[in-house]
Amino acid sequence: MAKIKIDSKRCKACNLCIVFCPFGHIKKGHSLNKVGYKPVVFLEKKGKACTGCCACAIICPEAAIEVYK
């Protein structure tokens, strides 16, 4: 199963990754980072594993997402 790592310090909560993730593995976070944004978080879902398609990492304007396969 692939997994993504989100750099919460770089994330500016534009939420593009949420829109482009085909399996809904990313959601809005609740805590604030040091610059006042609420960074997104990775959700592991049973039955719909992350495929590592990299759509989230490609669309992220801050390059805050790394994908591990």
Side-chain angles (χ1 to χ4, degrees):
M1 179 171 122
K3 189 171 185 173
I4 65 170
K5 181 179 177 186
I6 299 166
D7 185 345
S8 61
K9 293 176 185 173
R10 298 177 87 178
C11 177
K12 292 187 177 173
C14 68
N15 298 323
L16 286 173
C17 54
I18 294 172
V19 173
F20 281 86
C21 178
F23 300 104
H25 286 289
I26 304 171
K27 71 171 192 171
K28 293 181 179 182
H30 296 289
S31 59
L32 294 173
N33 62 14
K34 289 184 178 182
V35 288
Y37 296 107
K38 290 183 177 179
V40 296
V41 294
F42 179 67
L43 258 184
E44 293 188 41
K45 291 183 174 180
K46 290 183 179 177
K48 288 184 175 182
C50 176
T51 61
C53 69
C54 299
C56 57
I58 292 168
I59 201 67
C60 180
E62 304 304 322
I65 300 175
E66 295 177 2
V67 179
Y68 298 95
K69 295 183 179 181

